[in-house]
Amino acid sequence: MGYTQRIIDELKERYADQPEFIQAADEVLASIAPAVDANPAYEAAGLLERLVEPERVIMFRVPWIDDAGRVQVNRGYRIEFNSAIGPYKGGLRLHPSVNLSILKFLGFEQVFKNSLTTLPIGGGKGGADFDPKGKSDREVMAFCQSFMTELCRHIGPDTDVPAGDIGTGAREIGYLFGQYKRIRNEFTGVLTGKGLTWGGSLARTEATGYGLIYFVEELLRERGESLAGKRVNISGSGNVAIYAAEKATELGAVVQTMSDSTGWIFEADGIDLAAVHEIKEVRRGRLSEYADAHPSCEYHEGRGVWGVACDIALPCATQNELLLEDAQALAASGCAIVGEGANMPTTREATDFLIEQGIAFCPGKASNAGGVAVSALEMSQNSERLSWTFEEVDAKLKDIMVGIYHAAADAAAAYGHEGNLVVGANIAGFKKVAEAMMAQGVV
């Protein structure tokens, strides 16, 4: 039995109750096997055994008082996964689905995603099973202040720098930062995604969505094509989906679909993104409202985005949303590219099928790395007490995403998997982390 397979088997036995983490670890370890086998020193140093275990797992209760005066208690987490190449970096997810398995999967993926950016940041993730939807601003503030009161012991600008994620937007980051500053009596770049008047970076809001399109654009450029005229299906209607749609439209594509947790919309001539932004980002409403105001739109309840014929599919909602039957429908309709805007939105079976069919598959740890890349650029601006222009940050973002595409493509070719960006991204991200871990000894 090979070294990587032994570690996979041990993980499946030890963490049988953590399916999302096992899915992520299995996919990465299986694909980096050629690089691991080429260096026997990794096994002698127990590298993989250390790589798959977080350096630190922090769990804590988060008590807060709601508007009715009742005490509520949530469970908070911070997974500090790997700091070999820099301080832990990764978002805070606030959603009822948050548990240890999901955060370990996200933290593990973050290690390689952050490595691919070439910036000096390690991997981490955190959050709580708190749902900000339907809560008043005062309730969200009460939760965030309680959450940060515990978390502030474990983070810092040179230790661990959290960011936003699902459920954690500008409002939540503001409350978290305010409490950190209050307790620690210091104004530092300890969180990213901050407001522009107090240390935030221009282009951070757009970064993940724009970065996804820059990655896909470079793939197309290598084929002698462009986004102009391409039909694009997007799932989700949050930050990543909206700004991916914006940049794709700007580059000449026709964005046909978007979705939320209750349904999805189809506009053959392209979606009115200003209307979606107003509904989802300003009013925090439902996409059904879009259909009410746009007679040309088809609105469907449930799921079904991937049943519409397209050239490019961009899953930007949540993990494991694109299933095998969806991949089969995309292949049958002639879809040529699937680019992940969310974290692991495509199941393993669907991913394998798409690759087998010759569809270019852009894995999230590479294609959605734009958000964390600009978060790291925000950290740099904070350290220097500078603020760069939107154009400066956007240009750096595009350079990073183009570099990630070529790093993944080159690594895939070097190990005999030309065109397989999953293998390429995993190997390219792994090698940088592995070299740092080997150099730093058994820690």
Side-chain angles (χ1 to χ4, degrees), residues 83-147:
S83 60
I85 60 175
Y88 309 105
K89 187 83 191 77
L92 295 170
R93 177 170 294 192
L94 301 181
H95 193 272
S97 66
V98 164
N99 58 38
L100 187 58
S101 176
I102 287 175
L103 293 182
K104 283 180 66 178
F105 124 60
L106 291 168
F108 186 70
E109 289 274 299
Q110 199 78 44
V111 173
F112 306 100
K113 180 189 298 187
N114 293 359
S115 172
L116 285 168
T117 69
T118 72
L119 300 169
I121 44 177
K125 206 73 176 182
D129 57 356
F130 170 82
D131 190 355
K133 287 184 179 178
K135 304 290 193 304
S136 70
D137 287 349
R138 194 212 65 80
E139 287 176 318
V140 172
M141 182 176 69
F143 168 83
C144 289
Q145 289 178 340
S146 180
F147 183 87

Side-chain angles (χ1 to χ4, degrees), residues 219-391:
L219 188 159
L220 286 167
R221 192 191 67 79
E222 287 284 288
R223 296 178 168 189
E225 302 178 47
S226 74
L227 275 158
K230 295 288 193 298
R231 299 166 301 164
V232 177
N233 287 4
I234 293 178
S235 66
S237 51
N239 171 275
V240 179
I242 287 173
Y243 289 105
E246 179 178 282
K247 181 56 68 172
T249 301
E250 180 185 313
L251 294 173
V254 178
V255 176
Q256 303 182 127
T257 70
M258 297 183 80
S259 66
D260 61 20
S261 59
T262 58
W264 57 283
I265 55 175
F266 168 62
E267 285 264 40
D269 295 327
I271 286 172
D272 178 354
L273 296 176
V276 172
H277 184 274
E278 170 67 22
I279 291 167
K280 303 301 293 187
E281 298 284 278
V282 179
R283 302 206 308 264
R284 298 180 182 173
R286 314 305 302 174
L287 280 181
S288 55
E289 299 172 34
Y290 177 98
D292 293 340
H294 293 76
S296 61
C297 168
E298 292 181 22
Y299 175 76
H300 302 269
E301 292 188 350
R303 57 193 308 277
V305 163
W306 312 123
V308 176
C310 65
D311 303 304
I312 300 171
L314 304 176
C316 296
T318 190
Q319 68 264 11
N320 291 327
E321 57 158 302
L322 199 159
L323 310 177
L324 176 58
E325 54 264 35
D326 300 321
Q328 292 168 337
L330 288 171
S333 73
C335 178
I337 298 171
V338 174
E340 294 189 315
N343 291 303
M344 203 170 72
T346 313
T347 65
R348 181 71 179 276
E349 295 79 11
T351 299
D352 291 344
F353 175 82
L354 292 167
I355 293 171
E356 289 166 4
Q357 295 297 306
I359 294 172
F361 184 80
C362 311
K365 66 172 62 66
S367 56
N368 79 9
V372 74
V374 173
S375 283
L377 296 179
E378 181 177 329
M379 291 167 63
S380 296
Q381 292 171 81
N382 292 166
S383 295
E384 296 180 88
R385 297 290 193 266
L386 295 175
S387 181
W388 301 332
T389 66
F390 185 98
E391 291 73 21

Side-chain angles (χ1 to χ4, degrees), residues 196 201-204 206 210 214 247 250 374 377 381 387-400:
L196 295 177
S201 174
L202 289 163
R204 175 60 191 91
E206 298 85 352
Y210 278 23
Y214 292 147
K247 181 56 68 172
E250 180 185 313
V374 173
L377 296 179
Q381 292 171 81
S387 181
W388 301 332
T389 66
F390 185 98
E391 291 73 21
E392 287 177 304
V393 177
D394 191 40
K396 292 177 190 293
L397 168 64
K398 186 169 184 177
D399 286 346
I400 288 169

